[in-house]
Amino acid sequence: MRAPALLLASAAVLGGCMLGPDYKRPGVDAPSAYRVEIKAASDLANTAWWEQFQDPVMNDLIKTALAENKDVRIAAARVEEFLGRYGVTRSQLYPQVGVQGQAGSQRISRSTQPALAPSQTDTFDTYAIDLGVSWEIDLWGKFRRATEAARADLLATEQGRLTVVLSLASAVASAYVTLIDLDRQLAISSDTAKTRAENYRIFKLRFDGGVVSEVELKQALSDYELALSVIPSLEKQIVQQENALSVLLGRNPGPIRRDRAIDNLVLPQVPEGLPSDLLERRPDLLAAEQALIAANARIGVAKAAFYPSISLTALLGTASSALGNLFKGAAQTWSYGGTITQPIFTGGALSGNLAVAEAQNKQALLQYQKAIQTAFQEVNDALIDQAKTRDQLAAQARQVAALRDYARLARLRYDNGYTSYLEVTDAETKLFNAELQYAQSQGQLFFALINVYKSMGGGWVVAADEMTGGTPAPPGFEKKVPIFP
């Protein structure tokens, strides 16, 4: 028994060797600050930011979506899949043990040579039980690197699930804001259509009485039809938006409850944070880094394939031709051995696999760097969007106020005979368009603030994850998934 013991001792010493590069986080050229100065920033990145809108309906919709949305459930099932794959890969580090039982009966021919004596039986029974052990020793770290890669794949999938949670909360909030923004535009169009319908009725009476010309009557009719033409498009968009939001909620298309106008929503505050914080706050960046870790580890797997592999096998069992003698000492059987395999010529397969692993690692590194740059861009874009949209909204509010005065004065001038109805038409048309644009800009400001939270990430993703109804990853999940035994 000294030979296998010596072999096991050697394997234990050599088992500490791991080929391939150890992962080190690459340097990141992070800007020291965002391009837009955040004057009223607050530490809100770790809270459920949608509650700042102070709309209970929105809160309920986001809660429902996180619990019922199909994409979230698919992402959770994908994590379970990769957890199983991780277990399969890690199992290669351990000896594989199995038991096999066998029972059979055989009759041989009496017509063969040499012939059986009359006293010899031509029927033989066989019974056997074997306990087998096989173990490929991880001399060069092939299985440990593969386990490291599988672990990184699992953690990347978990971060991918959190990315779905992040995107879903933002998508539901944006869809709801879009819906009530369309409601506001429909209300403006309906009120305008009612006013112009009354104008047309009055002009028709005055035309019949010979007070106004047919030109003025047609102008009033044209204004009325213009307002009416906007309504069907808005009604169509509202139904389609309700359908889209219903699917986000995990439901069939249907109506969406809302009891707040867009004017009653409260603008969320801008969260604070440095650009370098994104590396730890955004799950998509964490997922990209885990993909890089996996690719880095697979270089070691490819390098280990160039070196010898040692496999140990052992068998302990019993065998007998009589079932009653199966567990007697004379029926005992055993064997053990080892196999060393060294590739000599593979036609370039091993070199090709190594080249593939190294190229995939380069791709993963570039994708990680690109993801970081894209994240910086998205935060800067969202910040400049909300800042400039505030300025735009303020200017549009002043424009709407001015156009209301213009429309009122134009109507007075027309009623007193100082101008034609064309001036009234011009003023009211401009006011109608300005009111619609103002409502759209209101929605755009909310979208920009939602995108600020989405692009910055943060602890609020964990808060949202707890609302999915599943079992969220515990704190320090990545540290609780072991690489090695």
Side-chain angles (χ1 to χ4, degrees):
M1 299 295 290
R2 293 181 178 178
L6 181 60
L7 191 58
L8 288 172
S10 301
V13 173
L14 292 174
C17 176
M18 288 181 64
L19 298 176
D22 292 329
Y23 175 76
K24 294 181 180 179
R25 175 179 281 184
V28 176
D29 183 19
S32 58
Y34 295 113
R35 294 187 62 188
V36 180
E37 182 182 359
I38 308 175
K39 297 180 180 179
S42 301
D43 186 14
L44 298 168
N46 296 329
T47 62
W49 51 264
W50 52 88
E51 295 178 355
Q52 296 181 65
F53 288 95
Q54 298 183 16
D55 188 329
V57 173
M58 178 187 288
N59 296 341
D60 290 343
L61 291 176
I62 291 178
K63 182 178 180 180
T64 300
L66 291 171
E68 302 294 337
N69 180 266
K70 299 302 183 290
D71 288 332
V72 170
R73 294 188 173 189
I74 291 171
R78 186 168 174 80
V79 173
E80 294 175 3
E81 173 194 348
F82 274 80
L83 183 59
R85 292 187 179 189
Y86 169 73
V88 171
T89 302
R90 189 167 179 259
S91 68
Q92 298 176 92
L93 293 165
Y94 300 93
Q96 306 298 301
V97 182
V99 65
Q100 175 180 318
Q102 178 182 351
S105 183
Q106 179 183 10
R107 181 187 184 279
I108 63 175
S109 173
R110 287 186 172 273
S111 300
T112 59
Q113 296 297 326
L116 294 175
S119 60
Q120 289 181 301
T121 180
D122 57 4
T123 303
F124 298 90
D125 296 329
T126 303
Y127 302 93
I129 296 178
D130 296 317
L131 178 67
V133 180
S134 63
W135 183 28
E136 181 177 345
I137 302 171
D138 194 24
L139 292 176
W140 316 110
K142 175 175 64 175
F143 297 139
R144 281 169 289 166
R145 288 299 190 193
T147 301
E148 183 181 351
R151 176 182 184 272
D153 286 338
L154 169 60
L155 297 179
T157 307
E158 168 63 14
Q159 294 300 328
R161 184 183 69 84
L162 293 178
T163 300
V164 173
V165 171
L166 177 149
S167 298
L168 178 62
S170 305
V172 172
S174 296
Y176 181 74
V177 169
T178 299
L179 187 57
I180 61 176
D181 186 32
L182 289 170
D183 287 341
R184 175 60 179 153
Q185 294 179 52
L186 179 61
I188 293 171
S189 301
S190 298
D191 291 344
T192 301
K194 290 178 182 178
T195 300
R196 292 182 178 182
E198 179 62 17
N199 286 344
Y200 176 68
R201 187 187 68 81
I202 294 173
F203 268 73
K204 183 68 168 61
L205 293 175
R206 297 177 70 182
F207 172 74
D208 293 339
V211 178
V212 299
S213 66
E214 186 176 4
V215 171
E216 293 172 313
L217 177 65
K218 294 302 181 182
Q219 286 176 345
L221 177 60
S222 174
D223 292 344
Y224 172 52
E225 295 296 348
L226 174 62
L228 283 181
S229 68
V230 176
I231 293 176
S233 175
L234 291 171
E235 291 175 335
K236 175 188 70 175
Q237 293 178 62
I238 287 173
V239 173
Q240 291 175 340
Q241 191 65 24
E242 286 183 317
N243 292 341
L245 185 49
S246 295
V247 173
L248 287 176
L249 298 177
R251 303 172 180 171
N252 290 326
I256 298 296
R257 180 174 68 91
R258 60 265 195 195
D259 54 12
R260 292 278 177 99
I262 194 169
D263 293 333
N264 300 127
L265 293 185
V266 178
L267 287 172
Q269 293 181 287
V270 178
E272 64 182 12
L274 297 174
S276 57
D277 295 340
L278 293 182
L279 300 181
E280 304 298 336
R281 289 169 54 163
R282 281 187 47 148
D284 59 327
L285 298 186
L286 295 173
E289 184 177 16
Q290 291 298 331
L292 176 58
I293 293 173
N296 183 79
R298 290 190 175 101
I299 294 177
V301 177
K303 286 186 175 180
F306 286 86
Y307 294 85
S309 61
I310 298 178
S311 298
L312 303 179
T313 59
L315 183 69
L316 176 65
T318 62
S320 175
S321 60
L323 183 60
N325 298 327
L326 185 60
F327 296 103
K328 294 183 178 180
Q332 183 180 13
T333 63
W334 58 264
S335 67
Y336 64 84
T339 303
I340 299 179
T341 305
Q342 169 63 57
I344 295 177
F345 177 74
T346 61
L350 298 181
S351 299
N353 286 334
L354 178 57
V356 168
E358 290 175 339
Q360 289 176 340
N361 185 60
K362 291 179 182 178
Q363 295 173 48
L365 174 59
L366 293 171
Q367 288 169 351
Y368 177 54
Q369 293 171 337
K370 179 182 177 182
I372 292 173
Q373 291 177 341
T374 301
F376 292 153
Q377 176 194 349
E378 289 173 351
V379 176
N380 276 290
D381 286 350
L383 289 173
I384 190 65
D385 189 6
Q386 64 86 26
K388 296 305 177 183
T389 302
R390 289 177 192 271
D391 296 341
Q392 179 184 0
L393 194 63
Q396 288 178 331
R398 295 190 295 270
Q399 181 190 26
V400 169
L403 286 172
R404 283 176 181 160
D405 289 340
Y406 175 32
R408 178 179 58 81
L409 294 173
R411 174 69 66 172
L412 286 175
R413 284 167 56 81
Y414 172 74
D415 290 342
N416 288 281
Y418 290 109
T419 187
S420 68
Y421 191 69
L422 185 61
E423 183 175 310
V424 176
T425 297
D426 177 68
E428 291 184 346
T429 299
K430 287 180 178 178
L431 175 60
F432 178 46
N433 292 333
E435 288 177 331
L436 290 179
Q437 291 172 0
Y438 179 79
Q440 293 169 1
S441 295
Q442 279 184 294
Q444 183 58 45
L445 179 54
F446 283 109
F447 300 151
L449 288 166
I450 291 171
N451 285 333
V452 169
Y453 279 92
K454 178 183 177 182
S455 59
M456 281 192 173
W460 71 264
V461 182
V462 177
D465 185 33
E466 294 174 353
M467 300 168 64
T468 60
T471 303
F477 169 74
E478 68 282 354
K479 298 179 181 179
K480 296 184 179 182
V481 181
I483 302 180
F484 313 124

